[in-house]
Amino acid sequence: MKYSIAKKIFALAVGFMLTTVLVAIITNIEVVKISKDVKFNGSIILPLASETAGLNETGLRRRIAFERIYREYGEPVPDPKVLEEAEKNIELFTIKVQEHIQNLRTGLSNLPDDPERQELFSSSRELVGMIESIFNHQTDMARLILEKRRAGEQEAVNELFAFNSKAQADLQDYRDRLQSNMVELASISNLRTQKGKIFIFWRSL
């Protein structure tokens, strides 16, 4: 009888010990997952979001510089200083947009492990490619429009603007969709981290 009770106590002790070890292993696995997610968020997701915001900002500033030159060419006597400054800004922000596009391509080449974020990464890569294509087209178009404007060929300018309007609308749509992808990626990553923390918390009770 005593031997049977001792055997049961020993079995319970072994069972408790194995359960403790199992919980510790699962908890450690979850800690590793959280660490990976936190690192991925900090080194990939946040820089991607920053580059996307930078792309939108520099694209807008380039357009403002273009509009300054366009207006100045319509003046009876264009101001050389205004033109010089705006032309420098166009070149500067064109380079910056290209840098943001390249940085986005590099960041989006680091695919996450889960299918949900992989799909968003693939979608974002496609959007970046389309943005780059339209951006290059609009760079050439902007130069042509300004040349025609400077030469006083307003009819040709109007035709070019009409031709370019859809490209501009598409570009804005792609930028908005890319921004939406970045927000969703950040949301998914944060949710994964929070779920892991909750899991560890309950396991520690």
Side-chain angles (χ1 to χ4, degrees), residues 127-172:
L127 288 170
V128 169
M130 290 186 287
I131 288 171
E132 182 178 30
S133 177
I134 293 178
F135 174 78
N136 291 337
H137 166 77
Q138 285 201 316
T139 297
D140 295 336
M141 184 67 69
R143 292 194 182 102
L144 185 57
I145 288 173
L146 292 176
E147 286 176 9
K148 297 296 182 182
R149 175 72 164 173
R150 186 177 186 178
E153 301 176 24
Q154 192 57 43
E155 186 176 346
V157 169
N158 293 339
E159 290 177 359
L160 289 169
F161 265 127
F163 182 75
N164 196 47
S165 60
K166 184 180 184 306
Q168 180 61 37
D170 287 342
L171 181 61
Q172 188 59 52

Side-chain angles (χ1 to χ4, degrees), residues 5-25:
I5 292 173
K7 189 175 181 180
K8 288 180 180 179
I9 292 173
F10 177 76
L12 287 172
V14 171
F16 178 76
M17 183 181 67
L18 290 175
T19 301
T20 303
V21 170
L22 181 61
V23 169
I25 291 172

Side-chain angles (χ1 to χ4, degrees), residues 167-187:
Q168 180 61 37
D170 287 342
L171 181 61
Q172 188 59 52
D173 176 55
Y174 298 152
R175 284 175 175 168
D176 290 343
R177 285 162 60 186
L178 181 62
Q179 186 74 49
S180 177
N181 279 4
M182 293 303 114
V183 171
E184 191 171 353
L185 279 167
S187 177

Side-chain angles (χ1 to χ4, degrees), residues 12-45:
L12 287 172
V14 171
F16 178 76
M17 183 181 67
L18 290 175
T19 301
T20 303
V21 170
L22 181 61
V23 169
I25 291 172
I26 294 173
T27 301
N28 285 337
I29 291 172
E30 201 62 36
V31 168
V32 170
K33 286 182 180 178
I34 290 177
S35 297
K36 286 183 177 179
D37 277 335
V38 169
K39 184 178 180 181
F40 189 81
N41 292 348
S43 61
I44 303 297
I45 301 298

